[in-house]
Amino acid sequence: MTTRHAFDCRNFKTAARVAALALGCCGALFAPAAATAESHIAASLGLPAPGQQPEGDVLLSVTITDSANTDAKHARYLFDRTALEVLPKDSFETSTIWTEGLQRFEGVRLHALVQELGISDGTLWLTAINDYMVEMPVSELRADGALLAHTRNGAPMTARDKGPLWVVFPYDENPRWQTETVYARSIWQLDRIEVER
Amino acid sequence: MMPTDDSQGPDRGDAPAKPAVARRVASAQDIADPPDLGRSLLGFRVHWLQMFIFLVIAILSLVLVFDTAARVSRQLEALRTSRADNQNYTVTQLEVESLDFALAVNVARQWQIAGQAGPAVQNGEAAEKERRALRQVRMRFDIFYSRIKTLENGLAHRVILESGGEPGLQLLLAFLDRTVPVMDGPDAALLALLPRLEGELLALRSVTRQLASQTITANAAAQERTRLEISRLLGRLALLSTVLVASLLAFMFFLWRLYRINRIRAVENRATLARLSTIVETSPDAIIVTSADGVITDFNAAAEAMFLLNATEAKGKSIGRLVKNGDFHNPAPAPERTGFVPAIDSGDLSNLHLVGQRADGALFPVELSTGMANLRDRPHCVIFLRDISERVAARRALEESRDQALAGERAKSRFMAVMSHEMRTPLNGILGVLDLMRDKKVDAGTRELLEVMEGAGQALLGHVNDVLDIARLEVEGVTLRKSDFDLDKLLRELMGGLEPGARARGNVMEMTCNPDPLGRWRGDPARLRQVLTNLLGNAVKFTRDGHVGLDVNLNPQPDGGAMLEVQVIDTGRGIPTDVLEKIFDDFVRVEAENTPQEEGTGLGLGIARRLVAAMDGNIGAESEEGEGSLFWVSIPLDAPQSAAHAPATPQMETAPRRKVLMVEDNATNRFILREMLRREGQDVSEAVNGVEGVKAAESEAFDLILIDISMPLMDGLEATRRIRAGGGPSAGARIVALTAHVIGDERDRYDAAGMDGVATKPLNLNGLRRILSGQGTEKDTAPAQKPVLDAAVLGELDDAMPRIQLIGLLQGFLDEGNDFIAVLPDLSVLPEDAQASAARVHYFSGLAATMGARRLHKALSAVETHLKTKDSAAARAAIAKVAPLWQLTVAEVEDQMAG
C-alpha cells in the first residue's frame, strides 16, 4: 500500500512543484507579514519543549530529523490533548465518504502546525496506530487544507471512531479535496508524525 | 461520400450554344435570363441544397459532439474527483486488521496460558505481559471496530451492498456488538472470553476473506464499466468529430464551388453584357427601352441619330413624344396624332408601321417592333425602330411604275378588245347576210361565190376571236366550265370537222384511241375542243400530201378520274429548233422560205398553252425540220358526275312566242337580229337608242329586252336602270345585255344596273335560242357567283396593316353590319324617305365593298338603286335578299378572323 501511495505522491509532487512556483511569487510578497504573524503565535502560545513528557496521555509525537545532518539529534515533541488544544484552533463542517451526514471537525491545521514547528520544507510522514503511513510534502500544505482534528461534533474521538486524531480535509469545499490522493492522505487513528527536512 | 455533381454542374463546355437572335426581340429577354443561365441556375440551387444538407449535418454533429463531450467531461470529472476511497484497500485492510486482532488475541492467550501454568515469580512478570497483551488486544479491536464501522457507513457500505457482502458485514457487526461489552469490561472478563474469541476470529477469517474478494470483484466490474463507458463515449466523440469535420469540409467544398460558379457566371455576364451593349450600340435600328408606361430608360446611338436627340435628353421622356400612331401616308392633322404607348398586356408587336417625329418636328415613317422583358423585376418594353423612309419611297416608285405598266397593259388590252369589237360588228353584218342569202334561191355560180365569201368571213372572224380571246385571257384569266361529256363523240366531231380541209390538202387523217371507246368524262369540253382543234388545225395546215395522226391514251387515276394524253403527229414540214423553243409564245409564226405564207395570227398555240395550264395540264412539242412535228397534251379529267346521258346541248325546239324589244343603234346588227328573231317566231319591236328603248318599255309590256350597251344618247346600262326603276309595264322584263366586249368588272356594272344576263355579240342562232329559252346567257352559266368575301381585297388589307389591326377592322365591320341588319327591316322604302334610307344603305354598302364582301355589296347596291329610283316594291324585294347574304358574310369573316 505504501508503494502505491508513494507513486501517487510523486505525481502529486510534480504538479505541486508547478503550483508552488506560482504560489511562491505570491508568497514572496506576503513573506514579511507572515513572518510577523508566526513570531507572534510562537510567542503567545508556544510548543511543548522538545522531549518533554506531557501530563496526559500522549496522543501525538512529532519527530523532526535533518536529512542533511543525519548525526544531529532528533527533535521530538509529544502532545497530549491539552497541548494540542493550545495550538491555533480551527474548524469546519464537511461530509466525508466514510461517515453519514455533515460532520463538524475541530483541531489544528497541519499547515499551522508545521509553521509552529518552524518547518518550511521537507516531507511529513504521518503514521497511524495500525502503522498506515502517508507522505505529505510540506510545500503542499495549505492554510485552508488538511486539519489535524481532535474533536468531532464537539466530542473527542475514540480509536473506535477513527480517533483520537484524524487528518481531514474540507472535502465539500472544493473538488480539489475529492481526489484519491486526498482520501489516502485522510489518515485516521494518527499517533505520530515524522518530519524530514 | 462527396456526391459528384458533374451532371448538374454548369459545365461551360457542353452548355447549349445560345441560339442566334432569331427574333430580334428575344435578345431583350436574354438580358434578364439567358437560356444557359437558366440551366446553371438549377445547378446553383442544387448546390445550395447540398450545402444546406451538409450544414445541417455539421450542426447536428456539432450538437452531438457537444453532448458527448459534456458526458465525457462529466465522466472525466467523476474520475478526477473520486467520490470513493480505495475500496480494495479498505477491504484487504479489514482482513489484515482482523488478522492483527487475531494475532493480538493469540499473544494474549499465550501469556494467559503461561500465567496459569508457570511459577508464581514468573506469574508477576507474566501478569504484566498479559496486561500489555490485553491492551494490544483492545487496541487491535478498536482498529478492527473502526474498520468495520467504516464499511458500515459512507460510500463503502454501498459497494458492500452492491457486491453482496452485506450478510458478511452483518456477521461482523454482530460480532462487534457481542464483543464490545467484554472489551470495555474488566480484564478478567476479557481473559475469560479469550479462548472463545480465538475461535470466533478463526471463523471470521473466511467472512473477511469473502468480503474482500467480493468487493474487489465488484470494484473491478465497476471500473471496467466506467472504462467501457468512457471508451464508448470517446469513440462516439471521435466518430462525431470525424463527421463534423467531414461535413464542414464538404460545406467548404461546395462554398468553394459556388464561389467558382459565381465567378464564372460573373465573367460570362460581363461578356454577355459587353456583347449585348455592342450589339445595341452598333445596331442600325434604333433600340429604345421604356418602362411599362412608356418612359424612356435606354436610348442607343442609332436612336439618337434617328430622332436628332441625345440619350440624356431622351431619357425620362415619353416614347409617345417620339413615335406617333397612324399611317404616314394618310397623315392626320398633327394635333390629332396620338402618341404611341407600348401595350404591355398585348404582348410583342412586330413590324407596325407608325410615324416618327424628330426633335425638329419632321415626320418620317418607321417600322416598329416591341418585345416585353422583365428587367430588374419590372416590365419593360424594348422597342426596335427602323426608319423606312427610303423603303417607302422605293416602294412608292415601284408601285407607280407598276401601275403605269399595268395601265399600259390594260390600255393595250382595251384597244385590242375595242378593235376586235369594231371589226366584228361589220363582220357580223356580212356573215349574217350570207347566212340569210343561203336560204334564198340563187344560181350555182353565185352560191359558189357566197361560199368563198363565207369561208373568208369565217376565217376573219376566227382571227378576231383569237385576238379577243387573248385579250380576255390576259385580263380576266380562264374560267373553266366543267360538265360531263362524251369524249369519243367530241373527238369524232373534231376529226369530222377537219376532214374536208385535210382532204383538200391531200392529207390522210387517222385516229387511234386506247381504250376504245374512251367513254364519258368530266371537264371543260369547249376548252378541250379549242386546244385540240388548234393543234389538229395546225397539223393539217402545215402538212401537204402527208399524214396527220391523233393518238389518244387515257390512263385511269386512283381518284376515279383519268389522265388524257393526246399526241398530234404530222408529217409536215416541221419546226426549226429556234422557233420550237418559243412556239407557245404569242404571235410566233413559223416563217419558211419557198412556201406560201399560211394565214394566222400566231396566237393559237399561245391560247392553247393558257387553256391547258388552266386545266392543270401540260403541253409540249417536238419536231424535226422537214420530217414532221409532234404536239402532245396531257390533261386530267374527272370522273363523270352523272352516269346518265344528259343533253349537252340545248334542244333546238322552237321557243314560245314572246314579245321582244331590241334596243340597238347599229342598223346592220338590228337587221340581222330582227331577221333571226323573226325566224324563231318572236314578236319583235325595235328601238334605236336608250331613250327610245325606255320609252317603248314604258308604253308596252315586253317579255324580253335585248339591249346594246354602247349607244348614243343613253347607253344600255342607264336605259336598263330607268326601265327597272320606271315601274312601267316592262319593269320586270328579262333584260339581256348585248356587248362585244365583256371585260373585268364590267359585269358588276351590268348586274348593278339590273340586267339579268349578258350575251356576247355577234349572236348566232344557237346563242339567240339559248337566250330565248331563258337559259344559256352568260350570267346564268357563270359558274362562280361573286365571292362572299373577296380574297384579293382581304389580301390587300392584310398587306396594308398588321394582322391585329385587320382583325379589329373586321370586328368593326361585323358590329356595324349587325347593327345595320337589325334596323334593316324597319328601313322605310317609301318614296319620301328613300333619300335618307339610300344614304344609310350606301354607307354600309361602301363598307362592305371595302371589306371585299362582294355579294353583300351587290345586294346592297341593288337596294340603293331601287331606293334612289323610288321603286318601293323592288327595294323591298332587294332588301329581303340582304339578310341571308349577311349570314354568309359573317360566317366567312369569322373564318378569316380565326385563320
Side-chain angles (χ1 to χ4, degrees), chain A residues 1 4 95 97-100 129-132 159-162 172 175 178-180 183-184 188-189, chain B residues 80-86 89 93 97 139-143 145-147 150 153-155 180 183-184:
Chain A
M1 292 325 298
R4 188 187 69 83
S95 63
I97 57 169
W98 307 278
T99 55
E100 299 288 339
I129 47 178
N130 65 345
D131 301 327
Y132 174 75
R160 290 194 192 152
D161 53 355
K162 303 184 169 55
D172 295 346
Q178 294 165 14
T179 67
E180 271 153 348
Y183 296 145
W188 58 68
Q189 295 168 334
Chain B
R80 202 160 63 76
T81 66
S82 175
R83 290 301 304 170
D85 195 359
N86 191 312
Y89 171 75
Q93 201 60 27
E97 283 162 3
M139 191 186 81
R140 290 296 167 192
F141 175 77
D142 282 353
I143 291 170
Y145 182 98
S146 173
R147 180 66 61 189
T150 306
N153 287 325
L155 290 168
V180 162
M183 285 294 167
D184 294 348

Side-chain angles (χ1 to χ4, degrees), chain A residues 8-27:
Chain A
D8 278 349
C9 289
R10 269 199 302 279
N11 276 345
F12 200 80
K13 249 180 188 165
T14 322
R17 267 192 210 119
V18 178
L21 254 170
L23 283 171
C25 299
C26 300

Side-chain angles (χ1 to χ4, degrees), chain B residues 814-830:
Chain B
L814 289 184
D815 294 345
E816 288 255 19
N818 284 326
D819 291 350
F820 177 76
I821 296 299
V823 301
L824 195 59
D826 304 330
L827 200 70
S828 172
V829 294
L830 299 174

Side-chain angles (χ1 to χ4, degrees), chain B residues 56-335:
Chain B
V56 166
I57 291 174
I59 288 169
L60 274 178
S61 35
L62 196 64
V63 167
L64 290 174
V65 161
F66 269 123
D67 176 60
T68 313
R71 284 200 222 181
V72 169
S73 168
R74 270 200 300 279
Q75 285 282 340
L76 288 175
E77 182 72 10
L79 281 180
R80 202 160 63 76
T81 66
S82 175
R83 290 301 304 170
D85 195 359
N86 191 312
Q87 295 294 328
N88 294 352
Y89 171 75
T90 306
V91 288
T92 44
Q93 201 60 27
L94 173 70
E95 203 177 352
V96 168
E97 283 162 3
S98 106
L99 286 174
D100 281 348
F101 180 37
L103 193 64
V105 167
N106 193 253
V107 168
R109 178 86 177 115
Q110 296 291 325
W111 288 116
Q112 186 188 23
I113 291 165
Q116 282 167 356
V121 183
Q122 289 169 328
N123 272 0
E125 192 187 344
E128 177 57 27
K129 299 244 172 157
E130 191 184 81
R131 207 164 50 245
R132 276 167 55 191
L134 282 182
R135 206 161 64 231
Q136 267 300 312
V137 166
R138 284 198 171 96
M139 191 186 81
R140 290 296 167 192
F141 175 77
D142 282 353
I143 291 170
F144 186 50
Y145 182 98
S146 173
R147 180 66 61 189
I148 290 169
K149 283 293 177 186
T150 306
L151 286 177
E152 192 196 3
N153 287 325
L155 290 168
H157 189 217
R158 206 187 304 155
V159 178
I160 298 288
L161 283 173
E162 280 169 11
S163 61
E166 183 68 9
L169 184 64
Q170 289 305 326
L171 277 178
L172 291 172
L173 286 170
F175 166 76
L176 290 184
D177 286 347
R178 269 200 317 278
T179 319
V180 162
V182 183
M183 285 294 167
D184 294 348
D187 284 358
L190 181 55
L191 280 171
L193 194 68
L194 279 181
R196 227 186 77 198
L197 205 55
E198 204 172 11
E200 276 193 83
L201 281 173
L202 205 64
L204 280 179
R205 276 188 65 178
S206 65
V207 175
T208 52
R209 186 84 195 152
Q210 199 187 352
L211 202 58
S213 54
Q214 274 175 341
T215 306
I216 288 168
T217 311
N219 266 332
Q223 272 172 8
E224 206 166 285
R225 268 203 307 281
T226 309
R227 248 201 324 277
L228 274 177
E229 172 67 8
I230 290 174
S231 145
R232 199 175 61 78
L233 281 175
L234 286 177
R236 203 163 111 187
L237 194 61
L239 178 69
L240 285 171
S241 303
T242 310
V243 171
L244 177 64
V245 168
S247 49
L248 283 176
L249 280 176
F251 182 70
M252 271 171 60
F253 172 73
F254 285 113
L255 212 59
W256 174 74
R257 278 203 72 127
L258 266 185
Y259 163 75
R260 262 196 43 195
I261 290 167
N262 277 332
R263 260 191 41 171
I264 290 168
R265 191 160 310 153
V267 168
E268 279 174 355
N269 281 350
R270 268 203 297 279
T272 308
L273 270 180
R275 204 163 57 233
L276 284 176
S277 84
T278 309
I279 291 169
V280 166
E281 280 311 310
T282 58
S283 160
D285 290 351
I287 300 176
I288 301 174
V289 182
T290 73
S291 59
D293 50 359
V295 175
I296 295 169
T297 58
D298 282 296
F299 204 71
N300 77 342
E304 289 182 335
M306 186 179 289
F307 291 99
L308 305 176
L309 197 66
N310 68 41
T312 41
E313 286 171 335
K315 281 176 191 171
K317 283 202 169 86
S318 167
I319 184 70
R321 293 179 61 178
L322 303 180
V323 182
K324 308 284 186 183
N325 287 319
D327 186 356
F328 181 71
H329 300 296
N330 300 315

Side-chain angles (χ1 to χ4, degrees), chain A residues 6 10 16 19 28 30 43 45 61 73 89 92 119 129 136 144 150 154 165 180 188 191:
Chain A
R10 269 199 302 279
F30 296 106
L45 298 169
S61 72
K73 195 164 186 269
K89 207 179 276 181
F92 52 77
I119 299 162
I129 47 178
M136 267 192 242
D144 61 349
H150 47 68
L165 294 174
E180 271 153 348
W188 58 68
D191 69 342

